[in-house]
């Protein structure tokens, strides 16, 4: 393999071999040329474990669903590799896993023109951007349907396939790329993993707040039907809270989107009043049939059922979204989980719980260069929902469970929406306002500030500790 002119080793680890990495001359020395390109051979002093993707996809050394639970034991190994070999020594194939031995990191040293290992200019072994990108690509590559092409491809898949990928993987990857990790990955990743692992210790309560507004650029002068979103929540006698957001698909002036979202909400409310849990496929079928009876229009939907035991069931069809916003540290006052802990401002993390059912998502499944079709729904209520998704989420006091139409989750250029949610929650908490209702209002106001191109609806369910009755 060849080394780049700048001296950057672009070699991928290969299985097997001996310890040394050397330049070998085959036959006689070539005549003098203006550009000297060495032949680089990589040999390893031990057998390499399968790459993370091969281990999960082909060998079953690790289950996709368990990936996040195993990551805390990966980071010390990465720290050790970077400390020994130097920053900038990771590629996607460096991350490996064996079912018996666990994690392995195959790190590639950087060499100078005399064949010696270059001295590290960061003695702490903190990961460079190259290392961070390699880790993110390795994690996404391991869980995606197809191999990950590059960092851009990895981030696109994280955004589109959240809810299909292990929940929280988007937060882990964004943390890897943006967090200060000067003290190493094991230390730097701990706050996020602690938050990801948090669970309710007892029964929880749930209180819902919602805000909705017509986008100024979408208003047609009919307040009754301009807003094609519909949302609602209901608490049952058993203490279970059910909530939903429906986003009507705009028709050609026939108000079909508004009719579709309202028909879906009416049917959901009737089902909620019965206080029983339908299997997700039956619930989606009922909602789809209700929309079909009411109109030729269609709607995207996201629904959540929050149970007193601290679990939530989330069902989505289309591009309506669910997010979990969680404080990184628990409050010292358990009766007020959303308040600041004695002057210490809480910081938050957020991760997406639902995928997008769009034409772009279907293209991205097979093509890393997919373009367009980002707003064209391929699954929706009305005319047969096609693909829908269902997941179960473990909640904890202090959590904010967000259900929103796509108008309220519009991303800003080069800024991940999960970071926007975390920043908003921290700012609102620091201001002394109750985060749940303030977050719902802030998201609707933000949508208008970004241009008011769509209706915006945000329903935020605040999770607290259940009071003894």
């Amino acid at each position: 393999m060849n080394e780049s002119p700048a001296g950057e080793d672009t070699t991928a680890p290969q299985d097997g071999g001996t310890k040394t990495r050397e330049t070998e001359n085959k036959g006689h020395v070539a005549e003098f040329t203006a550009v000297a390109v060495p032949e680089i051979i990589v040999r390893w002093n031990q057998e390499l474990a399968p790459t993370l993707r091969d281990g999960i996809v082909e060998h079953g050394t690790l289950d996709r669903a368990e990936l996040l639970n195993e990551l805390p034991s990966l980071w010390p190994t990465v720290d050790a590799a970077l400390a020994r070999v130097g920053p900038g020594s990771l590629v996607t194939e460096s991350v490996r896993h064996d079912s018996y031995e666990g994690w392995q990191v195959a790190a590639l040293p950087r060499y100078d023109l005399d064949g010696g290992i270059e001295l590290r200019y960061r003695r702490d072994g903190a990961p460079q951007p190259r290392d961070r990108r390699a880790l993110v690509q390795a994690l996404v590559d391991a869980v995606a349907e197809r191999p990950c092409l590059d960092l851009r491809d990895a981030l696109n898949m994280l955004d589109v396939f959240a809810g299909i990928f292990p929940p929280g993987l988007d937060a882990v990857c964004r943390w890897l790329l943006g967090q200060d990790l000067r003290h190493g990955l094991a230390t730097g990743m701990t706050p996020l993993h602690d938050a990801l692992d948090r669970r309710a210790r007892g029964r929880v309560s749930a209180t819902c707040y919602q805000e909705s507004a017509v986008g100024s650029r979408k208003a047609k002068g009919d307040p009754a039907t301009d807003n094609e979103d519909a949302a609602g929540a209901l608490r049952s006698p058993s203490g279970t809270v059910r909530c939903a957001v429906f986003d009507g698909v705009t028709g050609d002036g026939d108000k079909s989107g508004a009719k579709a979202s309202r028909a879906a909400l009416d049917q959901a409310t009737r089902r909620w009043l019965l206080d029983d849990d339908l299997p997700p496929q039956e619930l989606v079928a009922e909602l789809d049939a209700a929309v079909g009876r009411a109109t030729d229009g269609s709607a995207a939907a996201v629904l959540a059922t929050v149970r007193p035991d601290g679990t939530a069931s989330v069902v989505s069809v289309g591009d309506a979204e669910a997010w979990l916003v969680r404080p990184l540290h628990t409050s010292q006052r358990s009766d007020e989980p959303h308040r600041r802990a004695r002057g210490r401002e809480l910081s938050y993390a957020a991760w997406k719980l639902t995928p997008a059912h769009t034409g772009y998502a279907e293209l991205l499944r097979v093509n890393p260069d997919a373009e367009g079709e980002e707003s064209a729904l391929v699954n929706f209520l009305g005319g047969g929902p096609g693909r829908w998704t269902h997941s179960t989420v473990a909640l904890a006091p202090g959590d904010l469970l967000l259900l929103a139409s796509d108008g309220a989750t519009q991303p800003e250029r080069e800024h991940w929406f999960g970071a926007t949610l975390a920043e908003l929650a921290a700012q609102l908490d620091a201001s002394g306002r109750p985060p749940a209702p303030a977050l719902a209002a802030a998201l609707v106001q933000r949508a208008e500030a970004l241009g008011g191109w769509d209706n915006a609806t945000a329903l935020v369910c605040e999770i607290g500790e259940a009071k003894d009755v």
Side-chain angles (χ1 to χ4, degrees):
M1 295 185 180
N2 293 340
E3 191 165 295
S4 66
E8 180 177 341
D9 186 0
T10 58
T11 310
Q14 302 295 323
D15 292 344
T18 59
K19 180 178 181 180
T20 60
R21 173 184 184 272
E22 57 186 295
T23 302
E24 295 187 354
N25 294 322
K26 297 181 179 179
H28 65 279
V29 178
E31 295 182 0
F32 178 86
T33 60
V35 178
V37 181
E39 293 182 355
I40 305 298
I41 298 176
V42 178
R43 295 191 176 97
W44 301 91
N45 63 342
Q46 65 186 74
E47 183 178 353
L48 295 187
T51 64
L52 183 57
R53 177 176 178 82
D54 287 344
I56 289 178
V57 175
E58 296 183 12
H59 303 290
T61 65
L62 185 64
D63 187 86
R64 279 187 177 89
E66 296 298 320
L67 176 60
L68 262 65
N69 295 334
E70 296 296 324
L71 288 183
S73 60
L74 168 64
W75 308 135
T77 308
V78 176
D79 286 339
L82 296 179
R84 180 176 179 180
V85 180
S89 59
L90 302 183
V91 294
T92 303
E93 296 86 352
S94 292
V95 183
R96 294 169 174 260
H97 190 272
D98 178 80
S99 56
Y100 298 103
E101 302 296 335
W103 293 107
Q104 182 186 60
V105 176
L108 294 170
R110 307 289 290 274
Y111 289 84
D112 58 30
L113 290 178
D114 294 327
I117 296 179
E118 290 183 352
L119 295 177
R120 299 191 302 271
Y121 56 86
R122 285 288 299 267
R123 292 187 178 275
D124 56 11
Q128 289 183 343
R130 168 191 170 107
D131 301 315
R132 295 168 182 252
R133 292 193 297 268
L135 290 169
V136 169
Q137 289 172 220
L139 295 178
V140 176
D141 193 57
V143 299
E145 292 184 20
R146 58 167 176 78
C148 178
L149 177 65
D150 52 25
L151 181 64
R152 174 180 172 274
D153 187 30
L155 295 180
N156 286 341
M157 287 198 285
L158 284 170
D159 288 341
V160 169
F161 301 131
I164 297 174
F165 289 172
L169 182 63
D170 53 347
V172 168
C173 290
R174 296 287 183 168
W175 192 280
L176 279 170
L177 294 174
Q179 194 69 14
D180 180 0
L181 301 173
R182 70 180 68 182
H183 299 298
L185 288 160
T187 298
M189 299 298 295
T190 295
L192 178 60
H193 282 295
D194 288 346
L196 288 168
D197 291 340
R198 194 175 305 144
R199 301 290 185 269
R201 296 181 180 179
R203 292 172 64 84
V204 303
S205 64
T207 306
C208 295
Y209 305 87
Q210 70 184 61
E211 292 285 346
S212 186
V214 178
S216 59
R217 294 180 187 267
K218 198 168 184 178
K220 304 299 182 184
D222 187 349
T225 57
D226 274 353
N227 193 342
E228 295 182 306
D229 295 348
L234 184 69
R235 186 188 309 277
S236 71
S238 65
T240 296
V241 171
R242 296 177 175 86
C243 50
V245 170
F246 301 97
D247 183 358
V249 178
T250 302
D252 54 356
D254 59 0
K255 306 176 183 179
S256 59
K259 295 176 183 177
S261 63
R262 285 156 178 73
L265 178 59
D266 289 344
Q267 179 60 35
T269 302
R270 285 192 288 270
R271 173 54 61 184
W272 295 342
L273 290 172
L274 297 177
D275 192 19
D276 61 350
D277 287 332
L278 279 181
Q281 64 271 22
E282 294 184 24
L283 174 62
V284 173
E286 278 196 7
L287 297 176
D288 179 69
V291 172
R293 290 192 298 269
T295 176
D296 292 332
S298 56
V302 59
L303 304 94
T305 300
V306 181
R307 301 178 181 85
D309 65 1
T311 61
S313 174
V314 179
V315 177
S316 69
V317 182
D319 58 359
E321 299 178 5
W323 290 77
L324 186 61
V325 186
R326 175 170 288 174
L328 292 175
H329 307 284
T330 56
S331 172
Q332 295 177 4
R333 296 184 60 188
S334 60
D335 60 329
E336 295 184 14
H338 63 273
R339 298 297 185 185
R340 285 176 292 173
R342 297 183 181 178
R344 174 174 55 82
E345 182 179 322
L346 291 175
S347 54
Y348 289 78
W351 52 94
K352 193 179 177 187
L353 302 175
T354 52
H357 296 143
T358 62
Y360 174 69
E362 294 302 305
L363 293 174
L364 192 64
R365 288 180 186 277
V366 296
N367 180 13
D369 297 318
E371 295 181 358
E373 304 293 335
E374 295 188 27
S375 61
L377 297 183
V378 294
N379 301 296
F380 44 81
L381 298 177
R387 182 176 297 175
W388 51 272
T389 57
H390 169 254
S391 60
T392 300
V393 183
L395 302 174
D399 286 353
L400 304 174
L401 177 62
L402 168 67
L403 309 184
S405 62
D406 65 330
T409 59
Q410 180 181 347
E412 299 173 61
R413 184 182 297 272
E414 304 301 328
H415 197 64
W416 180 51
F417 183 69
T420 298
L421 276 178
E423 292 163 5
L424 278 174
Q427 292 168 6
L428 296 170
D429 189 54
S431 72
R433 286 176 285 175
L439 181 60
L443 289 173
V444 172
Q445 293 165 4
R446 172 182 171 274
E448 182 60 33
L450 291 177
W453 295 99
D454 199 358
N455 303 313
T457 299
L459 187 152
V460 180
C461 190
E462 182 180 41
I463 308 302
E465 292 184 358
K467 305 292 184 181
D468 294 332
V469 180

